[in-house]
Amino acid sequence: MKMNGARILLECLKLEGVDLVFGYPGGTVINLYDELMNVREIRHILPRHEQGGTHAADGYARATGKVGVAIATSGPGATNTVTGIATAYMDSIPMVVISGQVTTALIGNDAFQEVDMIGITRPITKHSFLIRNPKDIPSIVRKAFYIARSGRPGPVLIDFPKDVQIAQAEFKWPETVDIRGYKPNLEGHPRQVEKAILMMLAARRPVIYVGGGVISADAAGDLTALARRLQFPVTTTLMGLGSFPENDPLALKMLGMHGAYAANMAMTNSDLILAVGARFDDRVTGKIATFAPHAKIIHVDVDPTSIRKNVRVDLPIVGDVKDVLVKMLAELDKQADGLKELQANLSVWHEDISGWKEKYPIAYKQSTTTIKPQYVIQKLRELSQEDAIMATDVGQHQMWVAQFFGFQQPRTLLSSGGLGTMGFGLPAAMGAQAAFPKRQVICVCGDGGVQMNIQELATMVQNRLPVKIVILNNNFLGMVRQWQELFFDKRYSQTCLELPIDFVKLAEAYGAKGLRTEKPGEVEQVIKEALAHNGPVVMEFKISREEKVLPMVPAGASLNEMVLNA
Amino acid sequence: MHHNSHTISVLVENEFGVLARVSGLFSGRGFNIESLAVAPTNEEGLSRMTIVTRGDENVLEQITKQLNKLVDVIKVIDFSDESAIEREMALIKVTAEDQNRAEVLRIVDIFRAKIIDVTPKSYTIEATGAPVKIDAILELLRPLGLKELVRTGAVAIGRGAKGWKG
Ligand SMILES: Cc1ncc(C[n+]2csc(CCOP(=O)(O)OP(=O)(O)O)c2C)c(N)n1
């Protein structure tokens, strides 16, 4: 059947299982939006800024594991998606962004609202396509979704010129997708797995170090099973939180710059690190030269470029994390004796770890006069459902969430780990809530970052997305202020926000509910009231202003050189 | 660790923007390109690039992995691991007046190069050979007055009977 290009694209989205897109209209997508009115199966949410829409698509993808879809018009609409695309790229989030483009004949002429989106996004997309002919739309869309979700996931851009949206073509859906230059290596090599098992059985001071790859491979269950079978302690990166239940005795919690003392000590003293879906980021390793000096490293990752990029690796295993973990579990079934022997060998190590955990647990000093941010996070955990989704913005509050929320399930934390994008939290929460209207979705922000995409409150109210927004208000750009306090003699250059904002009134102006307190005694009541409300709520907590995130490994220091109480 | 020069052959889809993807990868990740030569192969839709780069083993490993990760890249061969033949062509314009003219001709002859354009004041030379050979002829010609130089960058092919499709 012949259709116009706009309709073909929408039919393709349906076939890819897309039921929700976030987008913003404009001149070069007006034809696409016109066709959208004829396609009932795709729900469309109109954010108030394309950055918000892109982060929402990202939040939707993180929470569901499906590909998030965002649409923007050419020029400024498209450039507004750039931060969202880069955020998704750094955290390996599957996303397809469709940008309008000027008519093919005008490309390159500096036409009105023309930008070279393919060029701008080249380093921050997994791949990109310019559609030149409507008959190519099905194969391009098919490839775009396949690339976005397979292997190490990531964002893919489709640049869609206006004339191609209008032109007619025969619609034919390709049954298969085959890209000769793109064949992700998903199967872990059995010999490598066998070797890994022998190394693990011989370990005396092992640690499993888990990253976001375990979550994107939907392998949290296998990872947990493996850790428990081996009785290996587990530490996670920010992106890995939720892949291993933090109430398990084997949990070391998060490692790295603001990681737990026990986690960083375990890494430093280990003789074997099993890295799974993690990439040895500098926030995690500290000073590379002194990182885990005695450890042999097994590195499991679907992306070969992650392996040996930052640290030496003794045994690389390229493959889908789930495939490798399942193979490891099967291999362990044959090792009853080895496992028994291993347990006897690990008792000293478990004692060391218990000692570190007791010596410096993740903790804070409670106060009866000012609200401690950590206390708010603990109360949120206590009062929310176990499957509640927690989105964060970027800054101190993000680290307090990571330290104190006690993540138990995968895909319950939405946080910009790699790019550290302020303004991410609120729209990401919105995207997750759109995917799961019945689940509790909470967003913790600072008073700085929340103002970077605050306009999406309107979208939440309009679309009945009852996100519970927590603002930990210290009237500072807190994380930068902390660095200035510790490393720049308290010279608070441009980090005091000065103008106090009435966030309650702001919420009300958008038609949301607003609550505020500065009394520790009222925290619980405010959270309860917010969670009971069936619309979006902004909770403003005025917190102790100069609270610091601790422990802290200063940038460039070794992992075991932690500032514990400054 | 050696910061040796390495020659890499990359088979790519002849798609819109593929050169930008490859060169952008090098610049974005701080890898260096000494030369890059690219042209279509005998198989339709495919091009082959020869890239000469510099770096230690770790850098080279990252370069080949990152290249392989590009969707439009079909195959990457690092010629550090394989025995290969490398050739480059240079077009060289030299001052050739009076007493110089004979000397230039002698050098051209020794290197089995060719004169492809003549004026009363200059010769234009076409030289082909391994990049070291081009370097050598340039070293001899430079004192005589080099007016202009254009090099293609190296292209490389593996030795032996085994062919590399595309
Ligand atoms: C878009 C963007 N701009 C700047 C930064 C640098 N930055 C990191 S944390 C931070 C402070 C955030 O302040 P706030 O949102 O109030 O949260 P807090 O740290 O106080 O919890 C800044 C400015 C960033 N990460 N992202």
Side-chain angles (χ1 to χ4, degrees):
Chain A
M1 204 179 30
K2 276 211 162 179
M3 306 174 185
N4 65 34
R7 184 55 180 262
I8 296 177
L9 185 114
L10 294 170
E11 292 298 325
C12 294
L13 293 185
K14 270 165 44 184
L15 285 164
E16 284 293 346
V18 175
D19 49 15
L20 176 63
V21 303
F22 299 85
Y24 210 99
T28 57
V29 284
I30 197 163
N31 302 84
L32 185 63
Y33 274 90
D34 189 62
E35 271 306 327
L36 186 64
M37 291 195 85
N38 302 326
V39 178
R40 297 264 153 245
E41 297 88 337
I42 300 177
R43 180 178 172 208
H44 183 277
I45 290 181
L46 175 74
R48 293 302 182 266
H49 188 302
E50 291 89 348
Q51 184 186 357
T54 317
H55 289 323
D58 174 323
Y60 169 92
R62 287 179 204 241
T64 61
K66 296 200 281 187
V67 179
V69 179
I71 301 174
T73 194
S74 65
T79 54
N80 273 348
T81 67
V82 168
T83 303
I85 295 172
T87 303
Y89 184 73
M90 290 295 277
D91 288 343
S92 308
I93 304 304
M95 196 157 83
V96 169
V97 176
I98 299 159
S99 53
Q101 183 53 281
V102 300
T103 293
T104 325
L106 293 179
I107 291 179
N109 287 9
D110 298 324
F112 177 63
Q113 297 196 324
E114 179 190 357
V115 294
D116 173 10
M117 234 353 232
I118 300 256
I120 288 173
T121 61
R122 192 180 302 115
I124 52 169
T125 48
K126 193 169 165 188
H127 198 57
S128 47
F129 297 93
L130 170 67
I131 315 182
R132 294 164 169 283
N133 191 320
K135 76 172 171 34
D136 299 336
I137 295 172
S139 79
I140 286 178
V141 173
R142 185 97 216 242
K143 284 179 189 167
F145 276 80
Y146 172 62
I147 292 169
R149 70 162 77 92
S150 59
R152 178 178 180 176
V156 175
L157 178 93
I158 300 178
D159 210 22
F160 196 13
K162 186 179 170 83
D163 55 320
V164 186
Q165 296 171 34
I166 298 167
Q168 300 271 324
E170 201 66 41
F171 172 56
K172 223 176 110 224
W173 183 243
E175 283 315 315
T176 55
V177 51
D178 179 50
I179 308 168
R180 54 182 165 178
Y182 179 73
K183 305 263 187 261
N185 190 348
L186 300 179
E187 307 211 347
H189 200 290
R191 284 290 306 281
Q192 297 292 89
V193 172
E194 277 169 37
K195 281 190 209 159
I197 293 291
L198 293 181
M199 287 168 74
M200 293 192 272
L201 290 176
R204 298 290 183 273
R205 299 188 304 281
V207 183
I208 304 182
Y209 150 57
V210 179
V214 169
I215 290 173
S216 66
D218 286 321
D222 308 288
L223 184 275
T224 304
L226 183 78
R228 286 180 179 158
R229 183 90 66 88
L230 291 159
Q231 287 294 302
F232 281 8
V234 180
T235 181
T236 63
T237 65
L238 178 69
M239 297 304 298
L241 286 172
S243 57
F244 188 76
E246 292 206 319
N247 59 5
D248 191 293
L250 291 170
L252 295 166
K253 305 197 171 172
M254 187 172 75
L255 82 164
M257 181 172 274
H258 292 298
Y261 177 78
N264 288 345
M265 290 302 283
M267 288 295 272
T268 304
N269 290 286
S270 66
D271 69 351
L272 180 78
I273 294 172
L274 172 62
V276 194
R279 60 190 176 91
F280 295 89
D281 174 83
D282 54 282
R283 285 290 185 265
V284 155
T285 60
K287 186 165 148 195
I288 283 284
T290 52
F291 173 72
H294 318 295
K296 286 214 157 61
I297 296 177
I298 303 171
H299 193 171
V300 183
D301 205 293
V302 74
D303 179 3
T305 66
S306 288
I307 294 173
R308 289 205 194 98
K309 183 163 65 183
N310 302 329
V311 299
R312 75 204 142 70
V313 168
D314 299 279
L315 184 72
I317 309 181
V318 176
D320 173 58
V321 160
K322 190 175 178 79
D323 176 83
V324 174
L325 289 173
V326 167
K327 282 179 178 151
M328 284 180 170
L329 284 164
E331 202 54 38
L332 278 180
D333 286 342
K334 306 175 200 158
Q335 296 282 358
D337 292 345
L339 274 170
K340 220 179 265 158
E341 207 175 306
L342 174 70
Q343 291 324 309
N345 290 335
L346 292 183
S347 57
V348 179
W349 181 232
H350 283 141
E351 276 166 36
D352 289 346
I353 286 172
S354 305
W356 290 321
K357 281 185 183 174
E358 273 162 41
K359 193 166 169 200
Y360 296 109
I362 290 190
Y364 65 99
K365 264 201 212 85
Q366 182 56 293
S367 157
T368 50
T369 50
T370 54
I371 298 177
K372 288 296 182 116
Q374 302 93 333
Y375 172 69
V376 177
I377 307 301
Q378 282 180 329
K379 280 288 158 196
L380 283 169
R381 172 76 291 176
E382 229 178 275
L383 299 170
S384 62
Q385 287 155 6
E386 177 159 315
D387 72 345
I389 294 170
M390 169 62 83
T392 78
D393 212 68
V394 169
Q396 291 184 304
H397 62 277
Q398 177 188 32
M399 291 299 115
W400 287 319
V401 168
Q403 293 177 333
F404 290 94
F405 194 68
F407 288 91
Q408 306 299 329
Q409 296 183 13
R411 301 195 184 280
T412 54
L413 171 63
L414 320 177
S415 195
S416 168
L419 198 66
T421 307
M422 283 172 74
F424 170 80
L426 193 138
M430 175 171 97
Q433 187 80 77
F436 296 108
K438 298 249 149 57
R439 273 167 76 180
Q440 284 178 344
V441 179
I442 302 167
C443 169
V444 176
C445 297
D447 51 315
V450 76
Q451 296 185 65
M452 285 199 177
N453 274 313
I454 191 82
Q455 75 286 347
E456 301 310 332
L457 266 177
T459 318
M460 290 180 187
V461 173
Q462 181 182 323
N463 292 281
R464 299 173 201 282
L465 301 170
V467 176
K468 309 301 182 238
I469 298 155
V470 173
I471 302 175
L472 297 178
N473 189 349
N474 50 15
N475 207 234
F476 273 122
L477 297 174
M479 185 55 98
V480 183
R481 187 209 61 78
Q482 171 168 342
W483 282 53
Q484 290 170 334
E485 176 186 334
L486 294 174
F487 313 118
F488 292 87
D489 284 337
K490 298 200 177 184
R491 287 156 56 85
Y492 294 158
S493 177
Q494 300 297 318
T495 43
C496 182
L497 289 165
E498 292 178 22
L499 182 76
I501 306 294
D502 187 337
F503 285 107
V504 171
K505 267 197 191 155
L506 185 76
E508 287 167 359
Y510 279 109
K513 190 181 175 76
L515 299 167
R516 173 192 303 121
T517 183
E518 45 197 288
K519 300 199 186 81
E522 290 178 1
V523 169
E524 186 163 330
Q525 176 200 324
V526 165
I527 296 174
K528 278 185 178 159
E529 190 180 339
L531 291 177
H533 183 70
N534 68 356
V537 182
V538 173
M539 292 166 259
E540 181 189 356
F541 296 102
K542 301 227 167 189
I543 59 166
S544 54
R545 293 194 65 202
E546 303 203 13
E547 191 72 19
K548 283 190 290 292
V549 181
L550 292 170
M552 176 174 192
V553 179
S558 306
L559 265 193
N560 58 349
E561 296 169 358
M562 274 164 282
V563 179
L564 291 156
N565 31 30
Chain B
M1 298 282 172
H2 307 286
H3 285 256
N4 281 340
S5 136
H6 299 275
T7 305
I8 303 169
S9 227
V10 192
L11 192 64
V12 299
E13 297 283 358
N14 204 348
E15 289 276 353
F16 161 84
V18 65
L19 181 60
R21 287 185 204 280
V22 171
S23 62
L25 187 153
F26 275 77
S27 59
R29 294 191 177 268
F31 302 145
N32 113 339
I33 298 183
E34 305 232 309
S35 72
L36 186 157
V38 55
T41 68
N42 65 336
E43 196 168 316
E44 197 169 321
L46 294 186
S47 284
R48 185 154 161 175
M49 298 182 178
T50 309
I51 302 172
V52 179
T53 182
R54 215 167 252 286
D56 63 28
E57 291 155 47
N58 287 335
V59 170
L60 201 70
E61 181 176 333
Q62 267 299 311
I63 290 175
T64 48
K65 284 176 170 177
Q66 294 285 358
L67 281 170
N68 268 311
K69 197 166 148 180
L70 293 178
V71 171
D72 285 337
V73 168
I74 294 164
K75 195 164 177 167
V76 180
I77 287 196
D78 170 7
F79 280 121
S80 332
D81 308 334
E82 307 212 2
S83 154
I85 306 162
E86 277 182 49
R87 288 295 180 268
E88 180 177 12
M89 188 173 90
L91 301 179
I92 311 158
K93 199 171 280 183
V94 288
T95 313
E97 287 174 293
D98 314 329
Q99 72 282 21
N100 260 359
R101 289 180 87 87
E103 177 63 7
V104 171
L105 285 180
R106 253 197 308 279
I107 295 169
V108 165
D109 196 42
I110 293 167
F111 282 88
R112 295 209 190 94
K114 273 193 283 191
I115 308 284
I116 53 172
D117 188 42
V118 190
T119 74
K121 296 188 166 181
S122 71
Y123 281 139
T124 300
I125 301 160
E126 173 192 322
T128 313
V132 284
K133 180 176 153 189
I134 306 290
D135 292 342
I137 188 171
L138 286 172
E139 200 172 316
L140 294 178
L141 290 173
R142 201 166 277 122
L144 303 178
L146 210 90
K147 289 159 98 63
E148 191 176 345
L149 168 67
V150 186
R151 296 176 74 154
T152 57
V155 292
I157 196 163
R159 281 188 190 277
K162 210 177 78 193
W164 200 45
K165 264 286 188 182

